[in-house]
């Protein structure tokens, strides 16, 4: 009998049998892990019922989620609070990438100083000359979700009051001059500690004639960008702090509508409950607008229209993606890219918010400012399968860095900057986002200074 004959084998046979039985099990679990990363969350997707409220489901998802206020709360608890000290961010400016950076730096400096704040606003761009970013003033909610911000800061840092003066209403006279906070780039040197920053602030305040710590003191803060070594801070603080800023929900809704059309009309397999859907569509930021041209960015190697579009097509095909959502503030270049992609072998479909939004939503979009329109792209691109952006754009880089936090949350640790040793003209690649071109200043500042 079979059983008997087995029983008579030498011990080495049993060892071999054990190995032969275990190998398929080992290989199987290895493949499983490759496909479904830690937590195995993906494995249940086959069983998930189809979403019946695409827009609602899409809006409920944020790339870095859930928001956890507790690491911020712990940090706020470590501060000495001064109820009489109020910071006002004097001159945030630019597009979403820079304004977001200005705001988060400002909030961080306020927390370390134990100061309350005036809800920050920003300079807004001239509608006729997009290179002029100083034309007017705009309130917080031109870009961000005010209700969410107030709630999140209330949870995370209840010691900080957030004032919102009515138009024309004045809290107090600000001390003369703007205070530029001393850098907190600990990676640059040990002298950029919290202690040194607070001493610097103290000296600045004491040198002002009208300063009295017992009275309400309003300090105008000069904007800074990526002046904090985020990686010297507790991991949870770095992960969650930037999440207090979410995009204005009215504008976000337009992004959801665009993705809904993309799913229904162009491509059918996007689950709105996925933060980053797999194998759905490529997202590209074509940064060739007039202001980029005026700044001379497009004359450097690998940066002009043809270099950017070639690289995006190549990367999309590498990931087997034939549908591209392209963000650009320049309709002419968008049309050129569309024609170029269609003529490519194999052809790719290039779409944009202008193609995808239903007529009434398109009308709504046209009422928005240039920078608000870009927020629609910002939201869609954060949620593409694979992203391609441009190194001189803080807009592009913000998308890549936030998506990289998502990867980290998924348990996938990557070395996005290693690509600079392997390829020419690429600054960042973590497998789901790639940043084209090289730029010494951005590459020195952003890896540690930008908040996800
Ligand atoms: C912060 O301090 C308050 C009061 O001392 C305490 O109730 C709270 O639990 C602390 N929160 C954190 C996150 O440490
Ligand atoms: C769009 O790009 C074209 C070149 O393709 C350029 O001539 C034009 O000034 C750009 N317009 C804007 C608004 O960026
Ligand atoms: C665009 O950039 C590429 C690569 O840097 C260069 O070879 C090409 O000549 C440039 N084209 C134009 C029109 O400037």
């Amino acid at each position: 009998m079979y059983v008997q004959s087995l029983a008579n084998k030498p011990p080495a046979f049993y060892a071999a049998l054990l190995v032969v039985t275990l190998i398929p099990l080992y290989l199987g679990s290895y493949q499983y892990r490759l496909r479904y990363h830690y937590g195995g969350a993906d494995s249940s997707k086959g069983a998930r019922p189809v979403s019946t409220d695409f827009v609602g489901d899409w809006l409920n998802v944020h790339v870095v989620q859930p928001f956890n206020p507790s690491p911020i709360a712990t940090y706020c608890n470590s501060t000495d609070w001064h109820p009489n000290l109020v910071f006002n961010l004097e001159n945030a400016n630019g597009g979403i990438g820079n304004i977001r950076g200005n705001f988060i730096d400002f909030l961080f400096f306020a927390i370390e100083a134990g100061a309350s704040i005036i809800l920050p606003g920003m300079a807004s761009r001239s509608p006729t000359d997009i290179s002029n970013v100083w034309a007017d003033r705009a309130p917080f909610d031109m870009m961000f979700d005010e209700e969410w911000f107030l709630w999140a800061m209330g949870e995370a840092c209840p010691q900080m009051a957030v004032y919102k003066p009515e138009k024309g209403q004045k809290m107090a006279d600000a001390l003369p001059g703007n205070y530029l906070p001393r850098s907190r780039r600990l990676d640059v040197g040990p002298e950029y500690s919290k202690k040194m920053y607070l001493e610097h602030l103290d000296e600045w305040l004491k040198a002002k004639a009208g300063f009295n710590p017992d009275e309400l003191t309003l300090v105008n803060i000069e904007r800074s960008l990526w002046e904090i070594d985020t990686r010297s801070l507790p991991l949870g603080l770095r992960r969650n702090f930037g999440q207090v800023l979410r995009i204005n929900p009215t504008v976000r809704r337009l992004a959801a509508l665009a993705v809904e059309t993309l799913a229904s009309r162009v491509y059918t397999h996007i689950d709105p409950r996925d933060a980053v859907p797999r194998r759905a569509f490529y997202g590209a930021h074509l940064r060739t607008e007039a202001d980029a041209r005026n700044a001379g960015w497009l004359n450097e190697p690998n940066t002009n229209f043809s270099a950017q579009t070639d690289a995006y097509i190549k990367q999309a095909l590498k990931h087997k993606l034939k549908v591209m959502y392209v963000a650009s503030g320049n309709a002419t270049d968008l049309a050129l890219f569309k024609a170029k992609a269609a003529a490519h072998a194999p052809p790719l479909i290039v779409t944009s918010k202008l193609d995808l939004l239903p007529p009434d939503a398109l009308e709504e979009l046209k009422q928005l400012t240039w920078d608000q329109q870009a927020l629609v792209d910002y939201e869609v691109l954060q949620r593409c399968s694979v992203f391609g952006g441009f190194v001189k754009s803080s807009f592009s880089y913000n998308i890549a860095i936030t998506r990289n936090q998502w990867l980290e949350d998924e348990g996938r640790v990557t070395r996005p900057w290693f690509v600079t040793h392997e390829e020419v003209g690429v600054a960042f690649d973590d497998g789901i986002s790639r940043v084209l071109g090289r730029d010494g200043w951005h590459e020195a500042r952003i890896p540690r200074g930008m908040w996800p």
Side-chain angles (χ1 to χ4, degrees):
M1 249 177 82
Y2 183 62
V3 175
Q4 259 173 347
S5 68
L6 256 188
N8 297 331
K9 301 289 177 194
F13 175 82
Y14 295 110
L17 188 68
L18 190 67
V19 169
V20 168
T21 322
L22 287 180
I23 282 173
L25 199 63
Y26 173 75
L27 289 179
S29 69
Y30 179 72
Q31 289 299 327
Y32 179 85
R33 272 287 158 238
L34 276 187
R35 232 157 269 162
Y36 308 110
H37 299 276
Y38 298 96
D42 284 14
S43 59
S44 61
K45 264 177 204 160
R48 197 157 57 164
V50 173
S51 162
T52 52
D53 174 12
F54 192 99
V55 169
D57 283 343
W58 196 89
L59 289 173
N60 276 334
V61 173
H62 294 266
V63 175
V64 178
Q65 182 170 283
F67 170 68
N68 177 6
S70 108
I72 310 172
T74 304
Y75 205 72
C76 285
N77 264 13
S78 71
T79 289
D80 290 329
W81 288 87
H82 307 288
N84 279 332
L85 186 62
V86 181
F87 279 9
N88 173 47
L89 178 60
E90 180 64 7
N91 49 12
N93 87 327
I96 174 71
N98 286 10
I99 301 253
R100 183 176 182 275
N102 292 160
F103 277 23
I104 309 174
D105 272 20
F106 165 74
L107 288 170
F108 185 83
F109 282 122
I111 288 178
E112 287 203 328
S116 289
I117 61 166
I118 292 182
L119 185 68
M122 61 203 91
S124 65
R125 219 181 278 260
S126 157
T128 50
D129 171 14
I130 57 172
S131 295
N132 178 7
V133 292
W134 292 111
D136 205 352
R137 293 279 307 164
F140 183 89
D141 71 355
M142 180 181 98
M143 286 195 177
F144 301 106
D145 184 340
E146 187 173 319
E147 197 184 327
W148 164 260
F149 174 75
L150 295 176
W151 179 83
M153 287 306 289
E155 290 289 302
C157 205
Q159 300 95 329
M160 174 191 279
V162 180
Y163 297 101
K164 188 186 174 189
E166 299 291 319
K167 219 181 169 77
Q169 184 189 8
K170 202 158 77 176
M171 274 186 82
D173 284 325
L175 292 179
N178 290 356
Y179 174 65
L180 173 64
R182 185 184 160 87
S183 175
R184 289 281 285 107
R185 288 297 299 239
L186 259 183
D187 55 321
V188 173
E191 66 272 31
Y192 297 115
S193 63
K194 175 174 176 181
K195 183 164 168 283
M196 297 290 273
Y197 156 53
L198 295 181
E199 283 173 14
H200 184 260
L201 171 63
D202 241 23
E203 271 168 37
W204 188 91
L205 289 171
K206 285 182 182 142
K208 295 287 162 184
F211 175 62
N212 175 356
D214 299 326
E215 282 172 13
L216 188 73
T217 301
L218 184 61
V219 180
N220 284 333
I221 302 290
E222 180 73 26
R223 76 179 182 282
S224 69
L225 193 56
W226 314 319
E227 270 307 339
I228 294 130
D229 179 7
T230 64
R231 293 184 195 268
S232 69
L233 301 169
L235 275 179
L237 180 60
R238 178 175 188 275
R239 176 192 184 270
N240 289 288
F241 195 40
Q243 313 315 317
V244 301
L245 295 180
R246 284 184 174 170
I247 298 301
N248 177 318
T250 315
V251 181
R252 258 191 111 225
R253 195 183 134 264
L254 297 178
L257 289 169
V259 179
E260 184 182 36
T261 313
L262 188 65
S264 64
R265 217 175 61 205
V266 188
Y267 183 89
T268 48
H269 305 292
I270 301 172
D271 190 317
R273 292 159 297 193
D274 289 338
V276 176
R278 290 161 66 80
R279 301 205 189 90
F281 69 101
Y282 185 85
H285 180 209
L286 180 60
R287 188 68 175 98
T288 57
E289 294 96 339
D291 62 324
R293 192 175 304 268
N294 293 346
W297 291 357
L298 307 184
N299 302 325
E300 292 181 23
N302 312 308
T303 58
N304 59 27
F305 174 85
S306 72
Q308 283 188 44
T309 50
D310 281 349
Y312 295 148
I313 288 176
K314 190 169 154 216
Q315 194 200 359
L317 290 175
K318 183 181 156 208
H319 289 272
K320 301 191 169 61
L321 297 168
K322 298 245 172 89
V323 176
M324 297 176 109
Y325 177 96
V326 178
S328 173
N330 187 324
T332 317
D333 281 353
L334 206 57
L336 286 174
F337 191 12
K338 190 182 285 195
K340 174 172 171 170
H344 190 270
L348 292 94
I349 299 170
V350 163
T351 62
S352 71
K353 57 184 182 294
L354 300 175
D355 304 324
L356 295 171
L357 285 175
D360 51 338
L362 194 59
E363 267 321 299
E364 225 180 289
L365 180 82
K366 287 182 177 154
Q367 306 302 316
L368 302 178
T369 67
W370 198 81
D371 283 305
Q372 283 179 311
Q373 295 188 12
L375 297 177
V376 175
D377 292 328
Y378 187 73
E379 287 295 292
V380 175
L381 292 179
Q382 299 232 11
R383 309 267 301 269
C384 65
S385 307
V386 179
F387 171 68
F390 184 47
V391 72
K392 288 190 186 287
S393 161
S394 56
F395 174 99
S396 285
Y397 239 131
N398 256 285
I399 292 170
I401 295 280
T402 302
R403 287 162 61 85
N404 188 251
Q405 181 64 53
W406 177 83
L407 265 189
E408 220 171 274
D409 288 356
E410 292 274 294
R412 288 194 256 170
V413 177
T414 58
R415 293 189 298 165
W417 289 281
F418 193 70
V419 69
T420 55
H421 304 294
E422 293 177 315
E423 291 184 54
V424 175
V426 184
F428 177 107
D429 194 335
D430 65 5
I432 61 165
S433 307
R434 188 175 174 89
V435 177
L436 298 175
R438 299 300 302 270
D439 179 84
W441 194 75
H442 270 176
E443 288 181 56
R445 307 284 301 171
I446 288 176
R448 301 188 73 97
M450 185 180 273
W451 299 88

